[in-house]
Amino acid sequence: MDLTGYSDPYVKASLMAEGRRLKKRKTSIKKNTLNPNYNEALVFDVPHESVHHVSLTIAVVDYDCIGHNEVIGLCRVGSDADGPGREHWAQMLANPRKPIEHWHTLVEV
């Protein structure tokens, strides 16, 4: 949170392959809140033959109009992720073109 006691968070999702960012998407900024709620879809078109070689890095970022935006925390989702990130990825692969919701714990950077 900033000096006002609130944050201006948004979510940035990056499609990764071999340590490189291929594509990125981000949500809208939710102003003055510590409990944002996003009802937004972030869509990546990935060829079927490439789906086992990519992963998502999902970061929650605090927008700052003065200075640098600060990463609040992040998580990874993919076949090379640990625990819930791997399970979520498996559910998405088992249900193509269907939105799969899942809660993830953020890790501090």
Side-chain angles (χ1 to χ4, degrees), residues 81-100:
D82 296 325
R86 181 185 297 255
E87 293 167 17
H88 190 179
W89 192 256
Q91 289 175 349
M92 289 191 302
L93 293 180
N95 300 282
R97 303 243 175 248
K98 180 180 176 192
I100 305 294

Side-chain angles (χ1 to χ4, degrees), residues 26-108:
K26 65 181 184 176
T27 65
S28 59
I29 298 167
K30 303 296 182 184
K31 296 280 190 182
N32 299 321
T33 182
L34 295 177
N35 297 301
N37 186 7
Y38 301 95
N39 190 17
E40 301 177 40
L42 303 176
V43 178
F44 294 94
D45 288 323
V46 178
H48 182 69
E49 61 273 4
S50 301
V51 78
H52 295 288
H53 305 290
V54 296
S55 63
L56 291 172
T57 299
I58 302 167
V60 178
V61 182
D62 181 21
Y63 173 77
D64 194 355
C65 60
I66 301 172
H68 298 290
N69 296 343
E70 183 180 352
V71 176
I72 297 170
L74 56 87
C75 68
R76 285 181 49 96
V77 178
S79 57
D80 60 347
D82 296 325
R86 181 185 297 255
E87 293 167 17
H88 190 179
W89 192 256
Q91 289 175 349
M92 289 191 302
L93 293 180
N95 300 282
R97 303 243 175 248
K98 180 180 176 192
I100 305 294
E101 296 179 5
H102 200 289
W103 285 96
H104 291 275
T105 302
L106 297 178
V107 178
E108 289 187 44

